């Protein structure tokens, strides 16, 4: 019995260590885009900032506009948006959230090309 | 003279507020890739983890592998790597760091396609 408990504890210990390495299993939703010509990008970004502020499911949000401009590296993409969720269920709930559905229509109309990745985030070197 | 000092102070105050909104003006180096077939991705990632651990210029590092697999969204890209630097000068120094130069050769040989963005990070909704 002790043996079983020991194995069980070890399993959880290993599981916890893994979760630690992966920043508690956070889900990251990464969007890289190139906007259509003529789009007022500031308005689109303002809308996204409003969206993430209103929806508590979004744990954190950061974005940026490429400042290097090496076309060979950027492939024409200019902006990156990254939202973090505590767990996959929160990300799924966000996807179907009415505010997100409404905003998505505006966003989709503004983009020329897009890459979207969604992944459990592995934090190797934490900020400190 | 007081007036000039006042204007100067206001400039710096505004500058500091702006820097605050941008998470103290951190620089993010974002790499989105699709690896060539046959590449042992775990080895490539292990190499990158080693690189960022060795070079203090890299403030934080996180990565992830897309878990959704919607080809229409991912455009075939599978992995995202994001490094954060305190300032632009650190990023520039990292680019020419011998460990980075050495690793880049291995990394470049492994990728089929890549998008690289580098930007001052705007943190709208901080973690917490």
């Amino acid at each position: 019995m002790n043996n079983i408990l020991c194995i069980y504890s070890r399993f959880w210990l290993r599981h916890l260590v893994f979760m630690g390495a992966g920043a508690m299993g956070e889900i990251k939703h990464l969007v890289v885009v190139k906007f259509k010509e003529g789009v007022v990008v500031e308005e689109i970004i303002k809308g996204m900032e409003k969206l993430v502020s209103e929806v508590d499911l979004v744990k954190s949000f950061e974005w940026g506009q490429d400042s290097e401009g090496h076309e060979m590296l950027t492939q024409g993409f200019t902006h990156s948006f990254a939202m973090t969720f505590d767990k996959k269920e929160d990300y799924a709930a966000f996807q179907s959230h009415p505010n997100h559905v409404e905003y998505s229509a505006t966003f989709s109309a503004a983009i020329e090309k897009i890459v979207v990745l969604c992944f459990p985030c592995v934090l190797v070197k934490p900020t400190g």
Side-chain angles (χ1 to χ4, degrees), chain A:
Chain A
M1 184 63 184
N2 267 353
N3 223 0
I4 290 172
L5 272 177
C6 184
I7 289 167
Y8 187 75
S9 312
R10 264 197 221 152
F11 167 79
W12 275 106
L13 188 64
R14 225 176 278 166
H15 184 66
L16 284 170
V17 168
F18 171 78
M19 293 289 280
M24 303 304 287
E26 281 178 350
I27 299 295
K28 193 144 275 191
H29 175 54
L30 175 70
V31 179
V32 176
V33 299
K34 177 186 183 180
F35 290 103
K36 285 179 187 161
E37 264 192 54
V39 164
V40 184
V41 176
E42 290 73 20
E43 287 299 313
I44 301 293
I45 293 171
K46 212 183 283 178
M48 202 182 296
E49 290 183 347
K50 188 169 171 283
L51 171 68
V52 299
S53 303
E54 286 167 353
V55 184
D56 285 342
L57 292 160
V58 182
K59 193 181 174 191
S60 71
F61 171 60
E62 56 181 42
W63 69 272
Q65 177 174 5
D66 179 70
S67 58
E68 300 291 298
H70 301 306
E71 181 81 16
M72 207 185 73
L73 292 175
T74 65
Q75 306 290 326
F77 291 98
T78 56
H79 289 74
S80 159
F81 304 96
M83 296 180 192
T84 310
F85 299 86
D86 269 331
K87 51 188 189 294
K88 208 165 175 169
E89 292 76 10
D90 288 358
Y91 171 62
F94 174 71
Q95 289 296 309
S96 56
H97 191 289
N99 294 26
H100 178 255
V101 172
E102 190 189 335
Y103 177 75
S104 289
T106 312
F107 188 73
S108 301
I111 53 173
E112 188 176 315
K113 61 178 184 170
I114 188 167
V115 170
V116 182
L117 295 189
C118 184
F119 51 86
C121 193
V122 185
L123 188 60
V124 177
K125 196 176 187 177
T127 302

